[in-house]
Amino acid sequence: MEKLIEKAEKEHCLSKEEITVLLSDNSINTELFNAADRVRKTFVGDEVHLRALIEFSNICKRNCFYCGLRAENKNIERYRLTPEQIIETAKIAVELGYKTVVLQSGEDAYFTAELLAKIIKQIKKMDVAVTLGVGEMSFEEYKILKDAGADRFLLRIETTDGKLYKKLHPAASFENRKRCLYDLKKLGFETGTGCLVGLPEQTIEALADDILFFKELNADMIGIGPFIPHKDTPLGNFTAGNFELAVKVMAITRLLLPCINIPATTAMETLVKNGRNIALQSGANVVMPNVTALDYRKMYEIYPDKVSVDYSSLLENLKQIGRTVGKDYGNSKNRR
Ligand code: SAH
Ligand code: SF4
């Protein structure tokens, strides 16, 4: 088993079978996490890049089975920030020192590519990188966003198990989601994807395929989060994903894609106290603090009890674990 970890650390390559073996054996977790931490340090250093997350609309036309923002959930108060509010929030984040703002929302048809382009252009005047997480669009729409100056895009594949994908998104197309990711790459976005860990019926083999997909896409960023059940969704009665397994998927991803950016996800911190630190010491090098105004933040309930981190305690915490805050845009080193 140690040989496999050694191989991954040196060659950044594993077969599906080898990944499956690592994911199945919990006696090697500490060694795996330490190897991922070393690879993180060697390839992307001790800097942690902070991204200011603005959740600008919780209105969504889709019906992903796991998500509290799904259109059919009537037990949620919906909101949409105005373009002015979004730009104002970005300004506050930039003044705090953030070098990236992430604009995330449900798939809200009000925010057309043209309207988003106007917002992006205003924010780009503030000398900051802009990341979008606004869901599936056409090549032409993504191009409008890129031409407006957007730098990066996050779109998780969620699961590469096509059958499971169909079950969890009956009205959506797995092929289209993949098409989106390849279009984003083609357009020159730093492209982020990722998966949920612990979805009902998800197998270890499927998680191994997820990791191999990240490599095949040559993703620039990968976000991995444990599934957390939300009571107002069809998956409300299922159990949450396993935290350790999610960290293992993340750690193996770091070994196989050494130069990419990997966030310590909010879902990890929500599931386990100190989850963020464990992630940062097992391959992660990014944190995305939420800067959305508090009144709206609580309405953006993708899953329950989502934690937020206070900026000054985060800085203190990073210092304690021997890490520094990234001073530049924190672009993916995968693209150099
Ligand atoms: N609408 C956009 C962005 C918002 S959702 C999109 O879907 O891409 C952002 C991420 O939240 C999703 O990619 C999904 O992986 C995650 N998510 C949704 N429901 C979740 C749950 N119940 N537990 C953990 N993560 C969840
Ligand atoms: Fe909408 Fe994204 Fe939630 Fe799916 S995961 S319902 S697209 S906000």
Side-chain angles (χ1 to χ4, degrees):
M1 206 59 64
E2 281 73 18
K3 281 259 169 345
L4 273 188
I5 297 176
E6 219 179 287
K7 177 182 167 196
E9 187 171 354
K10 280 204 192 107
E11 299 172 17
H12 315 296
C13 201
L14 289 175
S15 69
K16 178 173 175 179
E17 290 67 35
E18 290 169 330
I19 297 172
T20 307
V21 168
L22 284 180
L23 288 176
S24 310
D25 182 347
N26 281 328
S27 69
I28 48 84
N29 290 4
T30 307
E31 278 115 290
L32 176 64
F33 298 161
N34 289 343
D37 196 43
R38 286 192 295 274
V39 168
R40 185 272 308 155
K41 193 177 172 76
T42 307
F43 286 84
V44 297
D46 281 334
E47 284 190 337
V48 173
H49 303 290
L50 304 185
R51 323 295 200 193
L53 176 64
I54 305 175
E55 298 164 332
F56 66 90
S57 166
N58 71 351
I59 297 171
C60 189
K61 63 172 185 246
R62 291 176 51 121
N63 265 306
C64 307
F65 270 31
Y66 37 81
C67 179
L69 305 191
R70 65 201 305 274
E72 282 173 18
N73 180 13
K74 304 290 180 236
N75 264 336
I76 174 178
E77 196 182 332
R78 303 282 175 174
Y79 73 90
R80 177 186 282 148
L81 300 191
T82 64
E84 294 70 30
Q85 284 175 310
I86 300 170
I87 294 161
E88 191 50 38
T89 312
K91 190 161 161 252
I92 294 169
V94 172
E95 280 165 2
L96 275 169
Y98 284 100
K99 292 289 178 194
T100 296
V101 296
V102 181
L103 304 181
Q104 202 195 69
S105 68
E107 290 198 13
D108 180 353
Y110 173 84
F111 286 99
T112 58
E114 288 77 12
L115 178 55
L116 287 170
K118 282 189 191 149
I119 298 166
I120 293 161
K121 281 182 192 156
Q122 292 304 315
I123 298 178
K124 283 303 287 181
K125 288 183 189 161
M126 302 175 199
D127 183 25
V128 68
V130 172
T131 304
L132 301 172
V134 298
E136 295 178 23
M137 288 185 172
S138 66
F139 181 89
E140 290 69 29
E141 289 169 312
Y142 285 148
K143 185 165 189 312
I144 291 170
L145 303 176
K146 189 79 190 74
D147 291 344
D151 303 275
R152 312 183 188 130
F153 204 105
L154 304 173
L155 185 78
R156 289 185 180 172
I157 190 74
E158 316 292 3
T159 176
T160 53
D161 176 341
K163 272 205 193 121
L164 181 57
Y165 190 91
K166 191 79 209 157
K167 276 192 186 171
L168 301 176
H169 316 87
S173 150
F174 178 58
E175 290 310 316
N176 192 55
R177 198 142 187 105
K178 278 212 276 199
R179 190 273 304 155
C180 287
L181 286 166
Y182 283 98
D183 279 355
L184 290 165
K185 266 275 176 192
K186 217 179 292 167
L187 283 162
F189 280 98
E190 270 190 31
T191 304
T193 187
C195 63
L196 286 162
V197 175
L199 290 164
E201 295 180 33
Q202 189 180 38
T203 61
I204 293 288
E205 287 75 19
L207 291 170
D209 279 333
D210 292 350
I211 299 171
L212 291 174
F213 172 74
F214 305 156
K215 202 153 163 85
E216 181 191 301
L217 175 70
N218 187 23
D220 304 293
M221 314 176 276
I222 292 294
I224 288 155
F227 157 67
I228 300 174
H230 185 301
K231 67 172 176 32
D232 299 319
T233 67
L235 303 188
N237 289 326
F238 285 85
T239 39
N242 180 279
F243 172 79
E244 290 257 308
L245 183 59
V247 179
K248 289 183 77 170
V249 174
M250 188 197 76
I252 297 173
T253 300
R254 169 60 73 200
L255 295 179
L256 299 197
L257 292 109
C259 299
I260 65 168
N261 284 328
I262 301 184
T265 56
T266 306
M268 287 183 176
E269 176 78 2
T270 300
L271 206 57
V272 165
K273 205 168 171 284
N274 206 35
R276 183 176 53 247
N277 276 348
I278 296 171
L280 285 171
Q281 294 174 308
S282 310
N285 71 322
V286 169
V287 178
M288 297 168 59
N290 198 326
V291 298
T292 315
L294 285 172
D295 290 351
Y296 298 115
R297 203 182 294 180
K298 56 177 188 284
M299 287 189 252
Y300 199 85
E301 200 187 58
I302 287 181
Y303 49 80
D305 305 319
K306 206 158 55 94
V307 295
S308 338
V309 51
D310 161 72
Y311 190 66
S312 55
S313 52
L314 175 65
L315 296 187
E316 184 52 39
N317 173 237
L318 292 177
K319 212 166 151 197
Q320 271 171 13
I321 61 168
R323 303 286 277 277
T324 58
V325 175
K327 291 189 181 53
D328 59 10
Y329 297 126
N331 289 332
S332 174
K333 293 187 167 60
N334 195 36
R335 290 157 57 91
R336 291 195 183 147

PDB file of all heavy atoms in Angstrom, residues 58-71 105-107 135 158 169 177 300 302, ligand 2:
ATOM      1  N   ASN A  58     -30.325  32.967  -5.069  1.00  0.00           N
ATOM      2  CA  ASN A  58     -30.616  31.566  -4.731  1.00  0.00           C
ATOM      3  C   ASN A  58     -31.785  31.044  -5.566  1.00  0.00           C
ATOM      4  O   ASN A  58     -32.386  30.027  -5.241  1.00  0.00           O
ATOM      5  CB  ASN A  58     -30.878  31.400  -3.224  1.00  0.00           C
ATOM      6  CG  ASN A  58     -32.198  32.011  -2.790  1.00  0.00           C
ATOM      7  OD1 ASN A  58     -32.861  32.704  -3.548  1.00  0.00           O
ATOM      8  ND2 ASN A  58     -32.579  31.747  -1.538  1.00  0.00           N
ATOM      9  N   ILE A  59     -32.084  31.767  -6.658  1.00  0.00           N
ATOM     10  CA  ILE A  59     -33.151  31.322  -7.551  1.00  0.00           C
ATOM     11  C   ILE A  59     -32.557  30.342  -8.554  1.00  0.00           C
ATOM     12  O   ILE A  59     -31.534  30.640  -9.182  1.00  0.00           O
ATOM     13  CB  ILE A  59     -33.789  32.536  -8.257  1.00  0.00           C
ATOM     14  CG1 ILE A  59     -34.430  33.434  -7.184  1.00  0.00           C
ATOM     15  CG2 ILE A  59     -34.801  32.095  -9.321  1.00  0.00           C
ATOM     16  CD1 ILE A  59     -34.917  34.764  -7.692  1.00  0.00           C
ATOM     17  N   CYS A  60     -33.173  29.175  -8.669  1.00  0.00           N
ATOM     18  CA  CYS A  60     -32.592  28.153  -9.546  1.00  0.00           C
ATOM     19  C   CYS A  60     -33.677  27.416 -10.305  1.00  0.00           C
ATOM     20  O   CYS A  60     -34.672  27.004  -9.728  1.00  0.00           O
ATOM     21  CB  CYS A  60     -31.748  27.167  -8.742  1.00  0.00           C
ATOM     22  SG  CYS A  60     -30.827  26.061  -9.830  1.00  0.00           S
ATOM     23  N   LYS A  61     -33.440  27.244 -11.595  1.00  0.00           N
ATOM     24  CA  LYS A  61     -34.433  26.547 -12.418  1.00  0.00           C
ATOM     25  C   LYS A  61     -34.217  25.039 -12.407  1.00  0.00           C
ATOM     26  O   LYS A  61     -35.058  24.291 -12.890  1.00  0.00           O
ATOM     27  CB  LYS A  61     -34.406  27.090 -13.845  1.00  0.00           C
ATOM     28  CG  LYS A  61     -33.114  26.868 -14.586  1.00  0.00           C
ATOM     29  CD  LYS A  61     -33.283  27.268 -16.060  1.00  0.00           C
ATOM     30  CE  LYS A  61     -32.057  26.963 -16.886  1.00  0.00           C
ATOM     31  NZ  LYS A  61     -31.373  28.148 -17.403  1.00  0.00           N
ATOM     32  N   ARG A  62     -33.115  24.594 -11.855  1.00  0.00           N
ATOM     33  CA  ARG A  62     -32.829  23.160 -11.874  1.00  0.00           C
ATOM     34  C   ARG A  62     -33.359  22.470 -10.634  1.00  0.00           C
ATOM     35  O   ARG A  62     -33.798  23.106  -9.686  1.00  0.00           O
ATOM     36  CB  ARG A  62     -31.324  22.934 -12.041  1.00  0.00           C
ATOM     37  CG  ARG A  62     -30.897  23.352 -13.438  1.00  0.00           C
ATOM     38  CD  ARG A  62     -29.427  23.246 -13.649  1.00  0.00           C
ATOM     39  NE  ARG A  62     -28.889  21.958 -13.281  1.00  0.00           N
ATOM     40  CZ  ARG A  62     -28.231  21.149 -14.115  1.00  0.00           C
ATOM     41  NH1 ARG A  62     -28.060  21.488 -15.369  1.00  0.00           N
ATOM     42  NH2 ARG A  62     -27.728  20.026 -13.679  1.00  0.00           N
ATOM     43  N   ASN A  63     -33.274  21.141 -10.640  1.00  0.00           N
ATOM     44  CA  ASN A  63     -33.867  20.357  -9.563  1.00  0.00           C
ATOM     45  C   ASN A  63     -32.944  19.271  -9.040  1.00  0.00           C
ATOM     46  O   ASN A  63     -33.398  18.170  -8.717  1.00  0.00           O
ATOM     47  CB  ASN A  63     -35.186  19.749 -10.040  1.00  0.00           C
ATOM     48  CG  ASN A  63     -36.362  20.636  -9.638  1.00  0.00           C
ATOM     49  OD1 ASN A  63     -36.503  20.972  -8.451  1.00  0.00           O
ATOM     50  ND2 ASN A  63     -37.164  21.028 -10.595  1.00  0.00           N
ATOM     51  N   CYS A  64     -31.672  19.578  -8.932  1.00  0.00           N
ATOM     52  CA  CYS A  64     -30.701  18.603  -8.426  1.00  0.00           C
ATOM     53  C   CYS A  64     -31.241  18.022  -7.116  1.00  0.00           C
ATOM     54  O   CYS A  64     -31.633  18.770  -6.221  1.00  0.00           O
ATOM     55  CB  CYS A  64     -29.356  19.287  -8.208  1.00  0.00           C
ATOM     56  SG  CYS A  64     -28.768  20.173  -9.673  1.00  0.00           S
ATOM     57  N   PHE A  65     -31.251  16.691  -7.019  1.00  0.00           N
ATOM     58  CA  PHE A  65     -31.916  16.014  -5.897  1.00  0.00           C
ATOM     59  C   PHE A  65     -31.315  16.325  -4.532  1.00  0.00           C
ATOM     60  O   PHE A  65     -31.955  16.137  -3.517  1.00  0.00           O
ATOM     61  CB  PHE A  65     -31.880  14.484  -6.127  1.00  0.00           C
ATOM     62  CG  PHE A  65     -33.063  13.957  -6.880  1.00  0.00           C
ATOM     63  CD1 PHE A  65     -33.709  14.736  -7.835  1.00  0.00           C
ATOM     64  CD2 PHE A  65     -33.545  12.669  -6.642  1.00  0.00           C
ATOM     65  CE1 PHE A  65     -34.810  14.245  -8.541  1.00  0.00           C
ATOM     66  CE2 PHE A  65     -34.642  12.169  -7.338  1.00  0.00           C
ATOM     67  CZ  PHE A  65     -35.272  12.960  -8.286  1.00  0.00           C
ATOM     68  N   TYR A  66     -30.048  16.750  -4.511  1.00  0.00           N
ATOM     69  CA  TYR A  66     -29.364  16.936  -3.228  1.00  0.00           C
ATOM     70  C   TYR A  66     -29.463  18.366  -2.711  1.00  0.00           C
ATOM     71  O   TYR A  66     -29.149  18.621  -1.556  1.00  0.00           O
ATOM     72  CB  TYR A  66     -27.871  16.555  -3.382  1.00  0.00           C
ATOM     73  CG  TYR A  66     -27.293  16.959  -4.722  1.00  0.00           C
ATOM     74  CD1 TYR A  66     -26.882  18.253  -4.961  1.00  0.00           C
ATOM     75  CD2 TYR A  66     -27.206  16.040  -5.771  1.00  0.00           C
ATOM     76  CE1 TYR A  66     -26.392  18.635  -6.193  1.00  0.00           C
ATOM     77  CE2 TYR A  66     -26.713  16.412  -7.009  1.00  0.00           C
ATOM     78  CZ  TYR A  66     -26.303  17.709  -7.217  1.00  0.00           C
ATOM     79  OH  TYR A  66     -25.833  18.088  -8.445  1.00  0.00           O
ATOM     80  N   CYS A  67     -29.887  19.312  -3.555  1.00  0.00           N
ATOM     81  CA  CYS A  67     -29.651  20.724  -3.239  1.00  0.00           C
ATOM     82  C   CYS A  67     -30.889  21.470  -2.744  1.00  0.00           C
ATOM     83  O   CYS A  67     -31.957  21.396  -3.349  1.00  0.00           O
ATOM     84  CB  CYS A  67     -29.100  21.420  -4.480  1.00  0.00           C
ATOM     85  SG  CYS A  67     -28.783  23.174  -4.234  1.00  0.00           S
ATOM     86  N   GLY A  68     -30.717  22.216  -1.664  1.00  0.00           N
ATOM     87  CA  GLY A  68     -31.804  22.986  -1.067  1.00  0.00           C
ATOM     88  C   GLY A  68     -32.308  24.125  -1.944  1.00  0.00           C
ATOM     89  O   GLY A  68     -33.404  24.646  -1.713  1.00  0.00           O
ATOM     90  N   LEU A  69     -31.523  24.523  -2.938  1.00  0.00           N
ATOM     91  CA  LEU A  69     -31.963  25.630  -3.802  1.00  0.00           C
ATOM     92  C   LEU A  69     -32.806  25.143  -4.981  1.00  0.00           C
ATOM     93  O   LEU A  69     -33.274  25.949  -5.783  1.00  0.00           O
ATOM     94  CB  LEU A  69     -30.750  26.405  -4.346  1.00  0.00           C
ATOM     95  CG  LEU A  69     -29.735  26.967  -3.351  1.00  0.00           C
ATOM     96  CD1 LEU A  69     -28.770  27.909  -4.064  1.00  0.00           C
ATOM     97  CD2 LEU A  69     -30.406  27.678  -2.198  1.00  0.00           C
ATOM     98  N   ARG A  70     -33.001  23.846  -5.089  1.00  0.00           N
ATOM     99  CA  ARG A  70     -33.728  23.282  -6.242  1.00  0.00           C
ATOM    100  C   ARG A  70     -35.086  23.962  -6.425  1.00  0.00           C
ATOM    101  O   ARG A  70     -35.760  24.337  -5.468  1.00  0.00           O
ATOM    102  CB  ARG A  70     -33.871  21.763  -6.089  1.00  0.00           C
ATOM    103  CG  ARG A  70     -34.728  21.328  -4.923  1.00  0.00           C
ATOM    104  CD  ARG A  70     -34.424  19.882  -4.532  1.00  0.00           C
ATOM    105  NE  ARG A  70     -34.559  18.963  -5.665  1.00  0.00           N
ATOM    106  CZ  ARG A  70     -35.691  18.389  -6.048  1.00  0.00           C
ATOM    107  NH1 ARG A  70     -36.819  18.642  -5.387  1.00  0.00           N
ATOM    108  NH2 ARG A  70     -35.721  17.570  -7.079  1.00  0.00           N
ATOM    109  N   ALA A  71     -35.497  24.101  -7.678  1.00  0.00           N
ATOM    110  CA  ALA A  71     -36.700  24.871  -8.026  1.00  0.00           C
ATOM    111  C   ALA A  71     -37.926  24.389  -7.266  1.00  0.00           C
ATOM    112  O   ALA A  71     -38.767  25.191  -6.848  1.00  0.00           O
ATOM    113  CB  ALA A  71     -36.928  24.794  -9.532  1.00  0.00           C
ATOM    114  N   SER A 105     -24.276  31.397  -7.927  1.00  0.00           N
ATOM    115  CA  SER A 105     -25.748  31.501  -7.844  1.00  0.00           C
ATOM    116  C   SER A 105     -26.382  30.197  -8.290  1.00  0.00           C
ATOM    117  O   SER A 105     -25.720  29.305  -8.814  1.00  0.00           O
ATOM    118  CB  SER A 105     -26.245  32.623  -8.766  1.00  0.00           C
ATOM    119  OG  SER A 105     -26.046  32.255 -10.118  1.00  0.00           O
ATOM    120  N   GLY A 106     -27.694  30.128  -8.106  1.00  0.00           N
ATOM    121  CA  GLY A 106     -28.464  29.085  -8.772  1.00  0.00           C
ATOM    122  C   GLY A 106     -28.515  29.413 -10.261  1.00  0.00           C
ATOM    123  O   GLY A 106     -27.996  30.439 -10.698  1.00  0.00           O
ATOM    124  N   GLU A 107     -29.126  28.554 -11.046  1.00  0.00           N
ATOM    125  CA  GLU A 107     -29.274  28.872 -12.473  1.00  0.00           C
ATOM    126  C   GLU A 107     -30.487  29.781 -12.614  1.00  0.00           C
ATOM    127  O   GLU A 107     -31.620  29.332 -12.742  1.00  0.00           O
ATOM    128  CB  GLU A 107     -29.371  27.588 -13.310  1.00  0.00           C
ATOM    129  CG  GLU A 107     -28.042  26.854 -13.352  1.00  0.00           C
ATOM    130  CD  GLU A 107     -27.938  25.836 -14.484  1.00  0.00           C
ATOM    131  OE1 GLU A 107     -28.797  25.855 -15.399  1.00  0.00           O
ATOM    132  OE2 GLU A 107     -27.005  25.021 -14.449  1.00  0.00           O
ATOM    133  N   GLY A 135     -23.432  27.879 -13.332  1.00  0.00           N
ATOM    134  CA  GLY A 135     -24.091  26.739 -13.952  1.00  0.00           C
ATOM    135  C   GLY A 135     -23.878  26.600 -15.451  1.00  0.00           C
ATOM    136  O   GLY A 135     -22.947  27.168 -16.025  1.00  0.00           O
ATOM    137  N   GLU A 158     -20.103  16.748 -10.393  1.00  0.00           N
ATOM    138  CA  GLU A 158     -20.902  16.154  -9.297  1.00  0.00           C
ATOM    139  C   GLU A 158     -20.681  14.651  -9.163  1.00  0.00           C
ATOM    140  O   GLU A 158     -20.343  14.168  -8.091  1.00  0.00           O
ATOM    141  CB  GLU A 158     -22.410  16.454  -9.405  1.00  0.00           C
ATOM    142  CG  GLU A 158     -22.767  17.900  -9.767  1.00  0.00           C
ATOM    143  CD  GLU A 158     -22.433  18.936  -8.682  1.00  0.00           C
ATOM    144  OE1 GLU A 158     -21.865  18.600  -7.648  1.00  0.00           O
ATOM    145  OE2 GLU A 158     -22.731  20.132  -8.927  1.00  0.00           O
ATOM    146  N   HIS A 169     -30.507  13.922 -11.449  1.00  0.00           N
ATOM    147  CA  HIS A 169     -30.863  15.083 -12.291  1.00  0.00           C
ATOM    148  C   HIS A 169     -31.701  14.575 -13.459  1.00  0.00           C
ATOM    149  O   HIS A 169     -31.218  14.582 -14.602  1.00  0.00           O
ATOM    150  CB  HIS A 169     -29.624  15.777 -12.860  1.00  0.00           C
ATOM    151  CG  HIS A 169     -28.499  15.982 -11.896  1.00  0.00           C
ATOM    152  ND1 HIS A 169     -27.529  15.046 -11.657  1.00  0.00           N
ATOM    153  CD2 HIS A 169     -28.193  17.035 -11.104  1.00  0.00           C
ATOM    154  CE1 HIS A 169     -26.673  15.515 -10.768  1.00  0.00           C
ATOM    155  NE2 HIS A 169     -27.052  16.711 -10.403  1.00  0.00           N
ATOM    156  N   ARG A 177     -23.276  18.570 -19.376  1.00  0.00           N
ATOM    157  CA  ARG A 177     -22.407  19.076 -18.304  1.00  0.00           C
ATOM    158  C   ARG A 177     -20.941  18.924 -18.714  1.00  0.00           C
ATOM    159  O   ARG A 177     -20.132  19.824 -18.518  1.00  0.00           O
ATOM    160  CB  ARG A 177     -22.686  18.342 -16.997  1.00  0.00           C
ATOM    161  CG  ARG A 177     -22.148  19.086 -15.792  1.00  0.00           C
ATOM    162  CD  ARG A 177     -23.064  18.998 -14.617  1.00  0.00           C
ATOM    163  NE  ARG A 177     -22.663  19.825 -13.506  1.00  0.00           N
ATOM    164  CZ  ARG A 177     -23.253  20.972 -13.150  1.00  0.00           C
ATOM    165  NH1 ARG A 177     -24.259  21.460 -13.848  1.00  0.00           N
ATOM    166  NH2 ARG A 177     -22.852  21.645 -12.093  1.00  0.00           N
ATOM    167  N   TYR A 300     -29.202  31.261   1.423  1.00  0.00           N
ATOM    168  CA  TYR A 300     -28.514  30.456   0.397  1.00  0.00           C
ATOM    169  C   TYR A 300     -28.217  29.082   0.987  1.00  0.00           C
ATOM    170  O   TYR A 300     -27.083  28.685   1.204  1.00  0.00           O
ATOM    171  CB  TYR A 300     -27.228  31.169  -0.034  1.00  0.00           C
ATOM    172  CG  TYR A 300     -26.661  30.716  -1.359  1.00  0.00           C
ATOM    173  CD1 TYR A 300     -27.106  31.259  -2.561  1.00  0.00           C
ATOM    174  CD2 TYR A 300     -25.663  29.740  -1.431  1.00  0.00           C
ATOM    175  CE1 TYR A 300     -26.580  30.857  -3.780  1.00  0.00           C
ATOM    176  CE2 TYR A 300     -25.126  29.329  -2.642  1.00  0.00           C
ATOM    177  CZ  TYR A 300     -25.585  29.899  -3.806  1.00  0.00           C
ATOM    178  OH  TYR A 300     -25.061  29.501  -5.019  1.00  0.00           O
ATOM    179  N   ILE A 302     -27.932  25.700   0.466  1.00  0.00           N
ATOM    180  CA  ILE A 302     -27.693  24.531  -0.387  1.00  0.00           C
ATOM    181  C   ILE A 302     -27.836  23.274   0.465  1.00  0.00           C
ATOM    182  O   ILE A 302     -28.439  22.298   0.061  1.00  0.00           O
ATOM    183  CB  ILE A 302     -26.279  24.645  -1.005  1.00  0.00           C
ATOM    184  CG1 ILE A 302     -26.271  25.729  -2.081  1.00  0.00           C
ATOM    185  CG2 ILE A 302     -25.795  23.328  -1.551  1.00  0.00           C
ATOM    186  CD1 ILE A 302     -24.958  25.923  -2.761  1.00  0.00           C
TER     187      ILE A 302
HETATM  188 FE1  SF4 B   2     -29.355  24.748  -8.707  1.00  0.00          FE
HETATM  189 FE2  SF4 B   2     -26.696  24.384  -8.434  1.00  0.00          FE
HETATM  190 FE3  SF4 B   2     -28.428  23.628  -6.507  1.00  0.00          FE
HETATM  191 FE4  SF4 B   2     -28.381  22.262  -8.788  1.00  0.00          FE
HETATM  192  S1  SF4 B   2     -26.692  22.444  -7.302  1.00  0.00           S
HETATM  193  S2  SF4 B   2     -30.226  22.968  -7.725  1.00  0.00           S
HETATM  194  S3  SF4 B   2     -27.962  23.909 -10.266  1.00  0.00           S
HETATM  195  S4  SF4 B   2     -28.008  25.722  -7.168  1.00  0.00           S
END
